[in-house]
Amino acid sequence: MKNILIIAGSDSVGGAGVQADIKTCEAFSCYAATAITAFTAQNTNGVSNIFATNVTNLNEQIKMVDEELNIDAIKVGMLFNKELISCVGAWLEKFHKQGIKIVIDPVCVAKSGSKLLEDDAIASLKELFKFADIITPNIDEAKVLELDSKNLPCDMILKRSMVAEICEDTLFKKNGDILKIKEPLIKPEIMHGAGCSFASALACLLANGHTKEEAIKLAKKYILNAIKNAITTKFGKRLLNHKVGISD
């Protein structure tokens, strides 16, 4: 069983963030350990409050996990501010040198529109990308981060690069190669936690030896099936069903 370290924020409704990451790891038969960067009070309609942890606490969380587990891959999600990003950066540099697979989901804005990254932390977040094997922004996050697909420090899968009858993601490789990856578009078109879960699925698949292209295709199939089998809430079918498999 592969060990995945999740560094991300908590989602009280359980559809995104650390909770979604853990469920995704379980779906891929991986073990999830966590370092929580922030606690959010939220549901699929919005975020009412964010409480960021401090650097000492975050550093100790990662340290304790690293002491006990042989980490096979890392998924980084919500980091929120410059101080936490700096802390995580020091660890990612160490893990990168060890050859551990690193997936960064550059979380900036929740699906509801709530900001999950402070404005003055954007440049700091971009500094982490040089340690990543792949980053997973959607179109909106790529705009906020002003990412240049022709000058990347790592590979990038740009999510929802085209949405019509299909959902197309585009893999921009550091060497300049470009690959389009498509799946049918399933309603609802915007799904709470899909980005978090996709990045976690990638980390699990990379840890298990899949190529990036294979991992992206399999992760997209997993998210597609999780949307098809979405869980009904008071707001309608709004939460991913993380228990599905790739072929469900």
Side-chain angles (χ1 to χ4, degrees), residues 122-168:
I122 291 173
S124 298
L125 178 59
K126 291 170 70 173
E127 282 296 311
L128 299 187
F129 296 167
K130 62 180 176 287
F131 303 126
D133 289 271
I134 190 167
I135 58 175
T136 65
N138 59 32
I139 286 287
D140 293 334
E141 290 164 340
K143 288 179 181 176
V144 170
L145 294 165
E146 298 180 343
L147 296 176
D148 179 3
S149 62
K150 295 182 175 62
N151 185 25
L152 293 167
C154 62
D155 291 352
M156 173 177 74
I157 179 72
L158 184 62
K159 297 175 298 189
R160 301 176 66 82
S161 54
M162 187 179 80
V163 178
E165 295 301 317
I166 54 94
C167 180
E168 178 182 275

Side-chain angles (χ1 to χ4, degrees), residues 25-221:
C25 288
E26 290 176 347
F28 284 91
S29 299
C30 291
Y31 183 85
T34 64
I36 297 176
T37 59
F39 297 91
T40 69
Q42 68 172 298
N43 58 31
T44 59
N45 277 353
V47 179
S48 65
N49 192 26
I50 298 174
F51 177 78
T53 190
N54 58 59
V55 169
T56 300
N57 179 270
L58 179 60
N59 187 69
E60 286 298 310
Q61 290 182 73
I62 300 172
K63 177 176 178 287
M64 297 299 280
V65 173
D66 184 44
E67 284 180 356
E68 180 149 9
L69 297 180
N70 291 316
I71 299 168
D72 297 293
I74 298 163
K75 182 271 174 125
V76 179
M78 176 185 178
L79 295 178
F80 192 61
N81 63 38
K82 291 192 298 185
E83 293 75 21
L84 298 177
I85 291 170
S86 178
C87 172
V88 170
W91 282 102
L92 292 187
E93 182 175 13
K94 175 193 174 200
F95 293 138
H96 176 70
K97 289 177 179 177
Q98 294 173 354
I100 295 172
K101 299 295 184 182
I102 298 173
V103 178
I104 298 180
D105 183 20
V107 176
C108 301
V109 182
K111 289 290 194 305
S112 62
S114 301
K115 289 173 56 176
L116 300 176
L117 180 70
E118 293 184 343
D119 291 337
D120 65 355
I122 291 173
S124 298
L125 178 59
K126 291 170 70 173
E127 282 296 311
L128 299 187
F129 296 167
K130 62 180 176 287
F131 303 126
D133 289 271
I134 190 167
I135 58 175
T136 65
N138 59 32
I139 286 287
D140 293 334
E141 290 164 340
K143 288 179 181 176
V144 170
L145 294 165
E146 298 180 343
L147 296 176
D148 179 3
S149 62
K150 295 182 175 62
N151 185 25
L152 293 167
C154 62
D155 291 352
M156 173 177 74
I157 179 72
L158 184 62
K159 297 175 298 189
R160 301 176 66 82
S161 54
M162 187 179 80
V163 178
E165 295 301 317
I166 54 94
C167 180
E168 178 182 275
D169 296 346
T170 304
L171 174 62
F172 295 94
K173 304 203 77 173
K174 187 179 176 180
N175 65 7
D177 292 346
I178 298 174
L179 176 66
K180 305 284 187 179
I181 302 172
K182 304 175 182 180
E183 285 288 347
L185 183 63
I186 302 296
K187 293 188 178 296
E189 296 176 2
I190 303 296
M191 197 75 181
H192 183 74
C196 302
S197 305
F198 174 77
S200 295
L202 275 185
C204 293
L205 290 159
L206 291 173
N208 277 294
H210 290 275
T211 66
K212 284 176 188 160
E213 291 84 353
E214 291 171 343
I216 291 166
K217 291 175 182 178
L218 291 171
K220 279 180 68 68
K221 288 184 182 298

